[in-house]
Amino acid sequence: MATLQSLLEDIKKRNKGESEFHQAVEEVFASLEPVIEKYPEYLESGLLERFCEPERQIMFRVPWIDDKGQARLNRGFRVQFSSAIGPYKGGLRFHPSVYLEIIKFLAFEQTFKNSLTGLPIGAGKGGSDFDPKGKSDSEIMKFCQSFMTELYRHIGDSVDVPAGDIGVGSREIGYLYGQYKRIRNEFESGVLTGKGIAYGGSLVRKEATGYGLIYFVDEMLRDNGHVMEGKRIAISGSGNVALYACAKAQELGAKVVAMSDSNGYLHDENGLDINLLIRIKEVGRGRINEYLEFYKNATYVEKPEDVWSVPCDIALPCAVQNEIGLREAQMLLDNGCIAIGEGANMPTTNEAISLLIEKGVLLAPAKAANAGGVATSALEMSQNDMRLKWSFEKVDNMLKEIMVDIYNSAKFAALEYGLDKNYVAGANIAGFMRVAQAMKEQGVV
Ligand SMILES: NC(=O)C1=CN([C@@H]2O[C@H](COP(=O)(O)OP(=O)(O)OC[C@H]3O[C@@H](n4cnc5c(N)ncnc54)[C@H](OP(=O)(O)O)[C@@H]3O)[C@@H](O)[C@H]2O)C=CC1
Ligand SMILES: N=C(CCC(=O)O)C(=O)O
């Protein structure tokens, strides 16, 4: 008879060398132990094995011509992980660190996240090893057009709906959509989300992941006798998620004193000027160290991983996977950090999660806390379906409600299994149960 442990070993054997995917599965299996004890049929029927196997993985060649007339070559991916509760849904990551297994772990995480939103969206993820940094607008466009020339055959508003992630913002979505529309000869606005407002994008989508993170963390703090007001916050990353998490945290009265990028971290004890940072990053497409030209008291240290050495009450990892290991977790504990809100996907190692929870740090897990982006993407799909355009306030209120619901789902799932305040386990359990129920009713497919 299979056990959780023997299944985990089998999954590791079947996916040799895929350390991030192994890590993601290990974390989930640790959470599901009490669930499988109560419902062994999820294991005995092979459902859990199917749950951890992507429905489809697609890899394709992406040739393009650079501004010098040189032929360039990248690789594209799309992992369509689960369609149990809706069409595949998840971002596209353009970054040189991308390869198939990275996309697979991200797509696996998306299964739980999309389930927790309560909306009809399955799980997928895609991307490329293309590096947008240092590329001209024309090169970005030519790459996106070539990428979509391959991807279009695999997506659709009821099949698979990509969106943004690292290196993919509304500019890239626009170029991808333009090529898709040209090939399909059809205005299928719901096929991509994160679109520009002029042609079907939803208000709040740009801000959603960052805002949603703060809504979740604020709910978690309040439920545990704390307030956001007056708290010191350190954030890793300075992209779409980090910038809008910073803006909303400051709106709620917190002081954000540090933010990072892949070259280092910015520190301003007076609190970062978020409007300047948004101008530098979004308008100028510049680097955060340009901030020093405006604020002489600020510092920029060329060690991104040491952003967590800046004393803070709340840490918001909003960059990449595994940026908080045991070393960084100890830095946070030594500085009296009381809460962590994961804006990035899988930013904390399993060892660091165990240490932080053991020490009583309130940990808002990525699958739950950063679901605001995909939830608002689903709201964009709904508006597109109905050919409607909702107001910023309407969408923002829906986002806030969804994030509070997600918090409560994680909280009460943890409580049901005697795992009070273990929001990592609660999110994994609540996310799993909805998809597992759908899989059970749909048969062995
Ligand atoms: N966009 C979305 O809707 C959602 C995104 N996420 C997750 O949030 C995280 C950030 O995504 P997003 O803000 O969209 O991406 P962006 O491309 O807008 O920003 C990424 C940020 O992370 C920084 N970064 C990248 N690599 C490293 C590194 N090795 N060390 C430190 N910083 C690094 C980048 O710095 P630099 O400019 O130097 O490269 C940049 O500041 C990702 O983990 C993503 O998967 C989760 C849910 C939704
Ligand atoms: N990159 C995203 C957003 C995906 C989406 O909006 O479909 C994520 O949830 O990780």
Side-chain angles (χ1 to χ4, degrees):
M1 177 65 70
T3 64
L4 261 181
Q5 192 52 41
S6 66
L7 177 56
L8 178 60
E9 293 315 317
D10 290 347
I11 289 170
K12 285 184 171 180
K13 277 198 210 99
R14 184 180 288 154
N15 301 282
K16 278 192 185 58
E18 300 174 12
S19 56
E20 288 85 0
F21 182 63
H22 295 173
Q23 177 186 340
V25 175
E26 276 169 353
E27 181 211 291
V28 164
F29 275 30
S31 305
L32 291 183
E33 268 177 32
V35 174
I36 299 303
E37 208 171 298
K38 190 173 177 184
Y39 305 106
E41 62 272 23
Y42 284 135
L43 184 66
E44 292 155 4
S45 66
L47 186 147
L48 186 56
E49 184 180 19
R50 293 193 297 282
F51 190 101
C52 297
E53 181 67 16
E55 292 176 22
R56 198 168 301 102
Q57 301 189 88
I58 302 153
M59 192 158 81
F60 49 88
R61 177 165 68 188
V62 188
W64 57 283
I65 305 286
D66 68 19
D67 288 348
K68 297 190 182 80
Q70 291 295 312
R72 308 287 291 270
L73 182 64
N74 284 103
R75 187 171 278 181
F77 311 94
R78 189 72 181 168
V79 174
Q80 298 175 332
F81 211 105
S82 170
S83 60
I85 59 173
Y88 308 108
K89 185 78 189 83
L92 293 169
R93 177 176 292 191
F94 290 172
H95 194 274
S97 64
V98 165
Y99 55 99
L100 183 61
E101 288 70 28
I102 293 292
I103 301 298
K104 187 200 284 188
F105 107 76
L106 287 164
F108 179 65
E109 300 269 298
Q110 204 79 34
T111 309
F112 300 84
K113 180 187 321 188
N114 294 7
S115 169
L116 283 163
T117 68
L119 297 166
I121 42 177
K125 205 84 177 190
S128 172
D129 56 5
F130 172 74
D131 186 358
K133 263 194 222 147
K135 300 296 188 300
S136 71
D137 201 54
S138 165
E139 287 172 328
I140 299 275
M141 181 181 72
K142 283 187 274 184
F143 171 80
C144 287
Q145 290 171 339
S146 182
F147 182 88
M148 184 52 82
T149 301
E150 275 304 317
L151 184 67
Y152 86 93
R153 61 189 93 233
H154 306 291
I155 63 176
D157 60 4
S158 298
V159 177
D160 184 349
V161 181
D165 194 89
I166 294 180
V168 179
S170 61
R171 170 183 63 171
E172 291 72 21
I173 294 294
Y175 292 147
L176 290 164
Y177 185 70
Q179 185 70 358
Y180 181 86
K181 183 166 63 69
R182 185 174 164 210
I183 293 170
R184 285 277 195 205
N185 187 28
E186 181 185 355
F187 196 91
E188 186 185 338
S189 56
V191 69
L192 297 178
T193 56
K195 301 185 290 295
I197 302 302
Y199 64 98
S202 175
L203 292 170
V204 186
R205 179 60 188 86
K206 178 174 72 170
E207 301 84 353
T209 312
Y211 279 21
L213 173 63
I214 300 304
Y215 293 149
F216 187 101
V217 171
D218 186 44
E219 189 65 20
M220 179 179 73
L221 289 174
R222 290 172 183 285
D223 199 32
N224 286 280
H226 299 285
V227 289
M228 187 69 77
E229 175 87 27
K231 292 293 185 292
R232 288 168 53 89
I233 296 182
I235 300 178
S236 67
S238 47
N240 172 259
V241 178
L243 290 170
Y244 290 99
C246 177
K248 183 56 71 175
Q250 289 183 341
E251 190 186 308
L252 298 186
K255 183 163 82 164
V256 180
V257 293
M259 200 177 266
S260 75
D261 61 19
S262 56
N263 302 117
Y265 70 88
L266 188 61
H267 180 192
D268 183 348
E269 267 308 309
N270 298 325
L272 292 169
D273 177 345
I274 185 55
N275 293 321
L276 172 60
L277 282 170
I278 288 175
R279 268 204 318 278
I280 290 171
K281 289 290 293 189
E282 287 195 349
V283 179
R285 292 191 181 275
R287 305 298 290 164
I288 55 174
N289 60 1
E290 294 168 31
Y291 184 94
L292 304 184
E293 294 161 28
F294 300 85
Y295 290 91
K296 303 303 178 196
N297 64 305
T299 58
Y300 182 80
V301 177
E302 291 181 0
K303 284 194 76 179
E305 66 280 11
D306 282 1
V307 64
W308 310 119
S309 66
V310 177
C312 66
D313 304 304
I314 301 171
L316 302 179
C318 297
V320 288
Q321 59 276 5
N322 292 329
E323 53 181 313
I324 296 181
L326 287 174
R327 171 183 175 269
E328 293 75 21
Q330 197 54 56
M331 279 184 188
L332 292 167
L333 289 167
D334 292 347
N335 286 330
C337 180
I338 62 163
I340 292 174
E342 295 187 326
N345 284 308
M346 202 171 79
T348 313
T349 65
N350 291 344
E351 298 74 20
I353 288 173
S354 302
L355 173 65
L356 291 161
I357 290 177
E358 181 204 319
K359 297 293 185 190
V361 172
L362 296 170
L363 205 166
K367 294 177 195 116
N370 80 29
V374 73
T376 306
S377 274
L379 299 180
E380 180 170 330
M381 292 163 72
S382 300
Q383 292 171 76
N384 295 159
D385 277 349
M386 296 185 288
R387 299 175 191 274
L388 288 177
K389 171 78 75 185
W390 293 336
S391 70
F392 189 98
E393 190 190 12
K394 179 184 174 80
V395 178
D396 193 31
N397 287 337
M398 293 171 87
L399 170 62
K400 205 174 298 179
E401 202 176 309
I402 291 168
M403 296 314 294
V404 171
D405 287 349
I406 294 176
Y407 170 76
N408 286 320
S409 297
K411 170 185 172 180
F412 290 115
L415 277 171
E416 183 184 345
Y417 289 91
L419 298 165
D420 184 21
K421 298 191 195 317
N422 184 339
Y423 302 108
V424 173
N428 285 332
I429 292 167
F432 171 77
M433 295 305 277
R434 181 181 169 211
V435 176
Q437 183 57 33
M439 289 176 72
K440 192 172 160 192
E441 294 179 22
Q442 292 170 17
V444 182
V445 289

